[in-house]
Amino acid sequence: MKLIHSLFALAFAASAHAQQYPAQPIRMIVPFPVGGGADIAARVVAAHLSTSLGQGVVVENYGGAGGTIGTAKAAQAVADGYTIFVGTPSTHGTNVAVLANLPYDPIRDFSPIGLIGTSPFLLIVHPSVPASSAKELIALAKSKPGELTYASFGNGSINHLGAELFNSMASIEVRHIPYRGGAPALADLIAGRTTYTFDGTAALPAIRAGQVKLLAVGSAQRWHVFADTPTVSETALPGFDLSTWYGLFAPAKTPQALIDLMNAKLNAALAVPQAKDSFVKMGFDPAGGAPDVLAKKVRDEVAKWADIARQKNIRVTD
């Protein structure tokens, strides 16, 4: 009887806490610098959550070390609903696969709230490359083993592993040219110093200006921005899927009532026309859904990138 009474008291306390929540501003940790895609998405969501919750949602940026600094900070925060976090395929996928001594576990240390949005990576080449599709690029690479090059944002980055997934599925040999970020990688592709890369919405101006040539969309389904451009999966490599996404998380053991409340608020925010417009301008598609949708996304990402990292022996030690 005492056990039942204790459980009832705990449930009542959690319910009361949820009813009073939020009683103070909430911080939203972004593990990347100001101005990047994760930061912009976070600020769009934070603005609408602030209005909906009646409390400020303050974005705090902790860039560095591939997102691990900010992610670890969020994982170690008090699980009281006053710290939330924006994760990506890097923080909750590729980092696990390539980094030794990762200071957090993407599954154990976080409670998923909801998927914010998604966007495909785009397979692009220099205009001089004699290929107009993913299938033709693969044929070109097979005819010149080891001669073609691909640019990445850096060793162990999402588009490094994504390109290696492409190469593995296509059974081609291509030299990897790592850069310190997406901007220099794209600049060298435009200059013709590399053959191809997988890039995101940052490449849209270069594509529209004809500085690079778009061969295919990396996501499983076609993208409305380039509706006539086929996917890698449908034209060359069935099952290929390379997309980026932003997810909203809380530290593990955050009360379920608060997770459910934040999930409802997030879904409502993503349905606001102004928020939708902001995401469309970024080239992102608002997602939403239940916490389980994001939980599955994380599990799938961790498994996929761990597999390709093992196959290609990709590890980052510095």
Side-chain angles (χ1 to χ4, degrees), residues 46-310:
H48 292 281
L49 288 180
S50 294
T51 300
S52 178
L53 292 167
Q55 282 283 359
V57 178
V58 182
V59 176
E60 296 183 2
N61 299 82
Y62 296 93
T68 60
I69 295 173
T71 308
K73 192 173 187 67
Q76 295 159 10
V78 177
D80 58 1
Y82 289 100
T83 297
I84 53 180
F85 167 80
V86 175
T88 70
S90 296
T91 64
H92 282 62
T94 58
N95 282 352
V96 188
V98 302
L99 295 176
N101 303 315
L102 195 67
Y104 63 88
D105 184 296
I107 296 174
R108 184 192 63 218
D109 293 340
F110 291 91
S111 293
I113 294 173
L115 188 60
I116 298 172
T118 63
S119 183
F121 274 92
L122 307 172
L123 175 59
I124 54 178
V125 299
H126 185 264
S128 66
V129 175
S132 57
S133 68
K135 188 173 183 179
E136 290 182 4
L137 178 64
I138 292 169
L140 179 64
K142 286 184 175 180
S143 72
K144 299 181 177 182
E147 293 185 29
L148 272 57
T149 60
Y150 75 89
S152 81
F153 304 161
N155 287 315
S157 63
I158 178 67
N159 78 327
H160 175 200
L161 270 70
E164 286 297 348
L165 175 64
F166 176 83
N167 299 342
S168 177
M169 291 179 70
S171 298
I172 56 177
E173 296 178 21
V174 184
R175 287 191 296 120
H176 173 215
I177 310 296
Y179 290 82
R180 289 185 177 275
L186 180 59
D188 263 17
L189 181 68
I190 291 171
R193 297 188 184 96
T194 56
T195 311
Y196 68 91
T197 192
F198 281 94
D199 206 340
T201 54
L204 293 181
I207 293 170
R208 289 168 175 154
Q211 295 174 303
V212 295
K213 183 166 53 175
L214 174 62
L215 299 189
V217 174
S219 53
Q221 288 81 38
R222 290 197 182 195
W223 192 33
H224 62 87
V225 176
F226 294 110
D228 294 332
T229 301
T231 67
V232 172
S233 178
E234 69 183 285
T235 57
L237 304 173
F240 182 85
D241 184 5
L242 180 60
S243 301
T244 192
W245 51 267
Y246 300 136
L248 192 63
F249 299 84
K253 299 182 180 179
T254 296
Q256 188 61 45
L258 301 187
I259 296 294
D260 293 342
L261 173 63
M262 289 298 289
N263 174 262
K265 296 295 185 182
L266 173 63
N267 282 313
L270 295 175
V272 173
Q274 296 94 323
K276 283 186 175 181
D277 290 344
S278 296
F279 275 103
V280 168
K281 289 176 182 176
M282 291 172 60
F284 267 78
D285 299 317
D292 286 350
V293 173
L294 180 55
K296 182 179 185 303
K297 174 73 75 175
V298 172
R299 290 194 300 271
D300 290 348
E301 291 283 315
V302 168
K304 177 166 72 173
W305 299 126
D307 184 55
I308 197 67
R310 279 193 301 268

